Structure formats: C-alpha cells, structure tokens
Amino acid sequence: MSMTQPILVTGGAGYIGSHTCVALIEAGYAPLVLDNLCNSSVESLARVQRITGVRPGWIEGDIRDAALLEQVLAEHRPRAVIHFAGLKAVGESVQEPLAYYDNNVGGTTILLQAMQRAGLRNIIFSSSATVYGDPATVPIREDFPRSATNPYGRSKLIIEDILDDLQRADPAWRIARLRYFNPVGAHPSGLIGEDPRGIPNNLMPYITQVAVGRLPALQVFGGDWPTPDGTGVRDYIHVMDLAEGHVAALAYLLEAGAGMFTVNLGTGQGVSVLQMVQAFERTSGHQVPYRVVERRAGDIAACWADPARARRLLHWQARRDLDTICADAWRWQQANPRGYA
Ligand code: NAD
Ligand code: WQD
C-alpha cells in the first residue's frame, strides 16, 4: 500500500470521474476508484495511466455493497471521497424510478454509513443544475429555489437534503455539494472522453456521432423557445475545467474548517443549440446536418450559472472556451469512433 492516503473516487471509471482522476494525479493526489462498470469501461483507467504515467487504484464493486465499503475504507484509509457513482439518464429515470432511488439515494446512504463507521467524514458530492428546475431568471445563483421534474433530479435533491441533515447532526462532516451545469468535451490527448451506451441523450455526443457518420442527423428539440435564436440555451463546461473544480473543492474541503458548502460549477456563459452546432462545424471542419423538431418533454428554455461563488470560495473558474470544447470532443470521437469498445 502506498504511503499517501488515497482519495476514494466512486464512479471513477465514468466520464467525469476518469477526467477527475487525471486532474487529481496531476495535483499530486492518489485516486482509488470504486466502480461497478454499469455505465463505463475499465479501459478508461488504462488511458488515465497513459496520460499521467500513474494507474489509479482500482476496485470493481458497488457502492451498495456495505461489506465491501467497510473493507475498502479500513484497508486504504482514504482522506476523502469524491462521489460520482450513480445513474444519470433523465428519461430512463422516468421509466425506472426505483432503480434511480436505489442506486443514487440508497447507494449514497450506504456509502455515508460506511464512512461514518470508519470515521471518514470528508465528501464531495456530484449534484446537478437540474436541482434548479425551471429557473425564474438566469444566471442561476446557489440560493435559488430548488425543484425536481423527474426522478433523477429528485434523487439529487434528496441526496442534497440528506447531506444537509447529516452535517447538522454531526458538524465534523465536511461536505461539498457541487452543482454541475452541462459537462462536455474531453481530455486534449483524445485518450479519454464521454462514451455513452446506445444512442446519446445529450447534445454534444449526439453532434460528434453525427459528424463521425454514426448517426444521420441531429434533431434540434424546438426552434420556438424564448431565446435569441429560438433554440435551448445551456452552460457547457469543459470536463477538464470541471475536473479541476473538484481538485479545488478538495483542497478547500481539506484545508478550511469543517462544514458544508454548495457551489455551481459552470462557465457563466449561455450557448444555444445552433451556436453549438456552428462552433462544432467551425472547429471540426465537418458538417452537422440537422432539422428542427418538436420540443423534448421536460426541457427548459435557458439555464446558465452565476459562477461567482466558486471563484470566491475555491479560486477556481472555467478557462477553456467553446472552440476548445469542440476541438477536444472531436479529437476523442475521431480517435475512438466506437468509444472504448
Ligand atoms: P457516468 O455514467 O459516466 O459515471 C458514473 C459512474 O458510476 C459509471 O462509471 C458507473 O459505472 C458508476 N456507477 C453507477 N452506479 C454505481 C454503483 N451503484 N456502484 C458503483 N459504481 C456505480 O456519468 P458522469 O457523467 O461521469 O456523471 C458522474 C456524476 O455526475 C453522476 O452522479 C451524475 O449524476 C453527475 N452529473 C452528471 C452530469 C452530466 O451531464 N454528465 C451533470 C450533472 C451531474
Ligand atoms: C442540451 C440542449 C436540448 C439533444 C441534461 C440533464 C441534466 C444534466 C445534464 C445530469 C437542450 C438540446 C439535446 C439532442 C437537442 N445531467 N438537444 N437535440 O437537457 O440541458 O441536461 O444533461 O445532471 O440533468 O437533463 O442536456 O445535452 O440533453 O441538452 O436539440 O439530440 O440541447 O433540447 O436545449 P440538458 P442535453
């Protein structure tokens, strides 16, 4: 076992987790990944090693396995947990709510219980801008009201509240609730990136799969939104900026006094679907054929972050622009047209 106490990264083989492993290693931390591979491939960790020269610690397992967690925490004595593990497909959560409550809420509860028993009380949780529901105004500040429109979003709301209750009950807990806006892009090496199973739900992987010829055309969900060009506006954040946000949050968590903090991780910039298509065509040199169709159920017009609190508290801000996002997403897609398979 290494002399350095690792950072336990649940869901660390996944999209955001693998990029965060790179950022952790580059900052001198030792990630220890626990993942059941239900939505990822362990090849991502071999790629992390190719990028950094360091292979993250690896345990294949489920966060709902209390006995496994007890053993892992006792053996490795992590300094903190970065908790990415969970299910994240909004549409699927409407069809299979119990799977979402079991994995996300149940899994987190079991993880927190194991941490409590092991005397480990430092955790960074992956929350989401989805907890803001349909915001009354943009940009969105952390003190805006929260709501949920689907079981996935409700699972995030419930976990946020559980963490709040826990920290109140035992103020020794140090808890970061990070609300991600729309994570996109890939590591600039093209070695790791987003590898969705089946047809992508999200805009960016859909665009790159159209450009690479895996899908015929993009469907733009609605051209009549109350936005400048009529298409939906979001805050797309480069996944490496997001990863570095976790490192900043970890440093703050371990250095500052005990407590809980909640921060938006976004760029503060709104980008429409058509602006994204144009940026992608410009940087990739490939056409993205599209047609405007009906709005998608549950979508909102516009959502972007006020990122001021993260800047003030964590001394972190997103620095990669839209062209970098598109160029990096395209490099990953071209080098790995079938993902990790
Ligand atoms: P991902 O699916 O690529 O990563 C999640 C990882 O968790 C996967 O590797 C999966 O195999 C693993 N996992 C799931 N259930 C598990 C369990 N019970 N035990 C062990 N491992 C398990 O997704 P991602 O995009 O990297 O998202 C990471 C986290 O960030 C999730 O909690 C997600 O809800 C949250 N988030 C994601 C987005 C986004 O758009 N990608 C936005 C906001 C928040
Ligand atoms: C972005 C924009 C679509 C696909 C989702 C979750 C959210 C969070 C991030 C986890 C919207 C439009 C999309 C397509 C399109 N995940 N679009 N054609 O919906 O902002 O957020 O992922 O927490 O909870 O809801 O992201 O990438 O699906 O959509 O026109 O084929 O692109 O309508 O305006 P979204 P997205």
Side-chain angles (χ1 to χ4, degrees), residues 141-282:
R141 281 196 322 268
E142 290 85 351
D143 60 359
F144 276 27
R146 302 174 314 152
S147 66
T149 51
N150 57 70
Y152 167 72
R154 193 162 295 110
S155 77
K156 294 294 181 189
L157 275 184
I158 294 170
I159 297 165
E160 283 201 350
D161 288 343
I162 290 172
L163 292 168
D164 197 31
D165 289 340
L166 179 61
Q167 209 274 331
R168 245 182 256 273
D170 179 357
W173 278 87
R174 300 176 184 202
I175 298 171
R177 304 188 302 188
L178 306 183
R179 295 178 178 155
Y180 315 155
F181 282 68
N182 288 55
V184 288
H187 189 268
S189 63
L191 286 167
I192 57 175
E194 188 170 13
D195 181 20
R197 301 207 164 156
I199 295 175
N201 299 310
N202 299 112
L203 179 65
M204 196 67 194
Y206 207 105
I207 287 178
T208 61
Q209 290 194 17
V210 168
V212 87
R214 240 172 109 171
L215 292 168
L218 172 70
Q219 298 185 48
V220 175
F221 297 139
D224 57 352
W225 292 101
T227 59
D229 68 16
T231 67
V233 171
R234 297 290 184 275
D235 184 335
Y236 296 96
I237 177 171
H238 194 295
V239 66
M240 285 308 302
D241 279 329
L242 191 63
E244 289 165 9
H246 287 73
V247 174
L250 181 64
Y252 183 72
L253 192 85
L254 295 176
E255 283 157 25
M260 184 169 79
F261 62 95
T262 306
V263 295
N264 289 338
L265 295 182
T267 68
Q269 304 288 321
V271 172
S272 76
V273 175
L274 293 184
Q275 285 176 319
M276 184 58 103
V277 168
Q278 282 152 15
F280 187 82
E281 289 183 336
R282 188 170 64 237

Side-chain angles (χ1 to χ4, degrees), residues 10-18 34-41 61-64 83-88 103-104 107 125-130 152 156 178-183 194 202:
T10 74
Y15 173 46
I16 305 170
S18 56
L34 173 74
D35 198 303
N36 68 0
L37 302 178
C38 71
N39 195 40
S40 55
S41 161
D62 197 295
I63 55 165
R64 293 165 295 180
H83 176 35
F84 294 108
L87 304 179
K88 64 160 181 176
N103 243 282
N104 296 5
F125 171 62
S126 300
S127 190
S128 167
T130 194
Y152 167 72
K156 294 294 181 189
L178 306 183
R179 295 178 178 155
Y180 315 155
F181 282 68
N182 288 55
E194 188 170 13
N202 299 112

Side-chain angles (χ1 to χ4, degrees), residues 68-88:
L68 173 70
L69 287 178
E70 185 184 352
Q71 181 232 313
V72 167
L73 296 182
E75 183 180 337
H76 297 276
R77 293 266 142 222
R79 288 174 75 185
V81 177
I82 305 182
H83 176 35
F84 294 108
L87 304 179
K88 64 160 181 176

